[in-house]
């Protein structure tokens, strides 16, 4: 932009993806504001896939150790199996920690969104009192309904993200097994 003398315009990459839906005229007719969109990032998918894979490996090693129980007892391989399982468990723990970091970022985004919605609700309540002489009952309804909606959205988002992350990670592992 600088070399060609054009102004620099800040663009939010993720908002661009969401706004691209309006390039379709049919979507512009059907969708009405306000809208809610779920953006799932590649690091989240990657972390959930790695964790699911590590967890599957851990389960496999444990199943091997259990089914080989008689051989382990016969040849005194218990220490070897414990060491092997401990190694796999450490790997699973590292993947879980990486996934927890990414999940924490998601929860921060949901929490920030909740706080923004709550602040907007408070603003609407104040404007209602100052501009329209709204009574305390109206203010209470605005704030309590918004708090309830925010809580429901947070729970929906949290549960949906958790289920999506888990399903995507497990699905990626199953595709690798079936391929």
């Amino acid at each position: 932009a600088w070399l060609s003398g054009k102004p620099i315009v800040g663009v939010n990459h993720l908002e661009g993806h969401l706004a691209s839906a309006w390039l379709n005229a049919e979507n512009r007719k059907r969708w009405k504001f306000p809208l809610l969109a779920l953006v799932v990032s590649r690091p989240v998918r990657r972390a959930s896939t790695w964790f699911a894979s590590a967890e599957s490996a851990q389960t496999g090693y444990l199943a091997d150790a259990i089914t080989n129980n008689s051989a382990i007892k016969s040849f005194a391989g218990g220490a070897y199996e414990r060491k092997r399982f401990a190694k796999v468990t450490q790997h699973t723990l590292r993947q879980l920690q990486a996934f927890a970091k990414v999940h924490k970022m998601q929860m921060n985004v949901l929490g920030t969104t909740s706080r923004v919605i709550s602040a907007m609700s408070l603003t609407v309540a104040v404007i209602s009192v100052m501009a329209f002489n709204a009574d305390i009952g109206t203010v209470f309804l605005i704030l309590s309904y918004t708090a309830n909606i925010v809580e429901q959205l947070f729970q929906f988002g949290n549960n949906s993200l958790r289920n999506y992350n888990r399903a995507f990670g497990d699905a990626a592992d199953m595709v690798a097994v079936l391929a």
Side-chain angles (χ1 to χ4, degrees):
W2 179 73
L3 288 175
S4 62
K6 305 276 184 193
I8 295 177
V9 178
V11 176
N12 182 313
H13 174 87
L14 296 177
E15 286 177 6
H17 281 292
L18 296 173
S20 69
W22 273 264
L23 295 175
N24 180 324
E26 188 63 33
N27 288 344
R28 285 193 303 271
K29 291 178 193 172
R30 287 186 308 175
W31 296 346
K32 304 291 180 217
F33 286 101
L35 297 172
L36 179 65
L38 174 65
V39 178
V40 180
S41 67
R42 200 171 295 149
V44 172
R45 287 193 331 234
R46 198 174 316 130
S48 61
T49 300
W50 290 340
F51 173 61
S53 178
E55 196 176 44
S56 293
Q58 181 184 28
T59 303
Y61 279 115
L62 181 59
D64 285 348
I66 290 170
T67 56
N68 296 333
N69 193 24
S70 60
I72 291 169
K73 286 181 180 177
S74 300
F75 298 104
Y80 168 77
E81 289 295 331
R82 280 191 296 277
K83 183 178 176 183
R84 191 174 123 185
F85 186 68
K87 183 179 176 182
V88 172
T89 300
Q90 285 300 316
H91 176 69
T92 304
L93 180 61
R94 284 191 300 276
Q95 296 303 323
L96 177 60
Q97 289 168 337
F99 178 71
K101 281 182 184 177
V102 174
H103 187 68
K104 182 180 177 183
M105 289 182 344
Q106 285 182 322
M107 292 301 98
N108 287 339
V109 169
L110 279 174
T112 301
T113 303
S114 297
R115 285 188 289 282
V116 167
I117 292 171
S118 296
M120 290 170 44
S121 171
L122 182 59
T123 303
V124 167
V126 169
I127 290 171
S128 297
V129 169
M130 297 183 78
F132 304 109
N133 295 325
D135 59 9
I136 191 69
T138 303
V139 170
F140 177 77
L141 287 175
I142 291 171
L143 295 177
S144 63
Y145 282 143
T146 303
N148 189 13
I149 289 170
V150 165
E151 176 64 24
Q152 295 298 320
L153 286 174
F154 187 82
Q155 289 302 321
F156 171 77
N158 187 20
N159 293 337
S160 297
L161 289 171
R162 185 181 309 122
N163 291 337
Y164 171 82
N165 293 337
R166 186 64 186 202
F168 190 86
D170 289 345
D173 211 32
M174 291 305 293
V175 167
V177 167
L178 296 174

